[in-house]
Amino acid sequence: MLRKAGGIEAMKLLPQFFHSSLGKKYIMAITGLGMLAFVAVHLTGNLQIFLGPEVLDAYAHGLHRAEELLWVIRVCLLVFIGLHISMAVVLTLGNRAARPIPYERSRLPGASHAARTMIWSGSMVAVFVAYHLLHHSAKAQVSLTGHDFATFQTTLADGTTCHDVFRMVVAGFSQPVVSVFYIVGVGLLCHHLSHGIEAAFQSLGLRNRVWDAAVRKLASGAAWLLFVGYASIPVAVACGYGREALN
Ligand code: HEM
């Protein structure tokens, strides 16, 4: 009986928690870390481009064969993105309403550039991701290369015919405007993450005086690592890597 009453109390507290500022920050932290995990795993997949067309195309083909898992990841990502953006908007509007006269930028105590511009860098990352999905997932004609990526096919060593992801990526990045757009996009993403990772630790109560310096180093180290990894692909193609696939 007592246990049942406790359960009902907990169920009543849960909506209250998620309506509180702290609850919203928790949701932002958890969804942000979930997306960070995706970005890290996606990078390890993408870096296989340096192992050659056969390896990258076989990897992409393997992913598409696990269609159910792919859909679970897509739905989770959509939910995470939706929650992360809506909580960011609600918290930002709430903060503005509570402080109608904003602090002068220079007077924000100890806030870094990344911290002050989270809502803007986040919005620009959303634009970048939308373009990227049109470009690489929907294979829409947005790469200004004149190629129809949907027609790129290749045959793997075992005789399977599949989509030629290697040629698609090289063709896209052979267009300098696309490469520059990607480098700026991932730069903004990593700028956003450099503060986002710190903020997530803070919201989850995992940051204190002892760990503060370590958390800062971890956040900026991870952001730089991701930036160098992602940017290395368009930079390598600009330097001529993989161009023979276009002949
Ligand atoms: C140099 C940078 C990048 C390259 C070369 C790249 C490459 C690709 C490719 C080839 C695909 C399609 C995979 C396929 O359907 O076979 C893809 C999908 C995707 N990428 Fe990227 N990507 C890059 C950066 C990013 C970044 C920074 C993010 C996140 C912020 C991201 C998020 C996604 C998402 C959400 C998908 C859709 C996955 C799906 O279809 O379910 N990508 N990427």
Side-chain angles (χ1 to χ4, degrees), residues 50-213:
F50 295 115
L51 300 176
E54 177 77 24
V55 175
L56 184 71
D57 292 338
Y59 163 74
H61 182 60
L63 273 185
H64 283 274
R65 282 223 311 241
E67 196 70 9
E68 290 85 6
L69 176 67
L70 210 55
W71 275 108
V72 171
I73 296 172
R74 283 172 180 156
V75 171
C76 284
L77 273 179
L78 265 180
V79 173
F80 282 12
I81 291 171
L83 283 172
H84 196 80
I85 294 179
S86 49
M87 292 301 125
V89 171
V90 171
L91 281 168
T92 306
L93 293 178
N95 285 346
R96 285 200 184 146
R99 188 182 353 103
I101 304 165
Y103 282 126
E104 269 176 44
R105 282 170 178 216
S106 57
R107 274 198 257 144
L108 272 172
S112 65
H113 181 264
R116 281 186 270 112
T117 52
M118 286 306 271
I119 197 81
W120 299 113
S121 57
S123 310
M124 287 186 273
V125 167
V127 172
F128 162 71
V129 173
Y131 171 79
H132 175 50
L133 292 185
L134 281 173
H135 186 203
H136 280 152
S137 281
K139 299 164 187 68
Q141 305 253 11
V142 290
S143 67
L144 314 170
T145 57
H147 292 293
D148 180 0
F149 291 161
T151 63
F152 284 14
Q153 296 287 307
T154 188
T155 306
L156 300 177
D158 65 3
T160 322
T161 301
C162 65
H163 186 234
D164 194 345
V165 174
F166 185 92
R167 197 165 145 229
M168 170 175 79
V169 172
V170 172
F173 291 151
S174 300
Q175 179 59 255
V177 181
V178 175
S179 286
V180 170
F181 187 73
Y182 264 80
I183 294 169
V184 172
V186 293
L188 284 167
L189 168 70
C190 296
H191 192 52
H192 188 84
L193 286 176
S194 67
H195 176 70
I197 298 171
E198 275 182 34
F201 272 81
Q202 175 102 34
S203 301
L204 297 175
L206 299 171
R207 195 173 169 189
N208 55 37
R209 279 200 193 146
V210 182
W211 288 100
D212 194 54

Side-chain angles (χ1 to χ4, degrees), residues 3 12 16 25 35 56 71 77 94 111 125 140 146 185 213 217 233:
R3 194 183 285 174
K12 278 189 195 156
Q16 275 176 25
K25 285 183 181 167
M35 291 190 285
L56 184 71
W71 275 108
L77 273 179
V125 167
K217 279 191 190 139
I233 301 171

Side-chain angles (χ1 to χ4, degrees), residues 46-52 56 166 229 232-234 236-237 241:
N46 288 347
L47 286 177
Q48 295 184 50
I49 195 168
F50 295 115
L51 300 176
L56 184 71
F166 185 92
S232 70
I233 301 171
V237 175
Y241 179 73

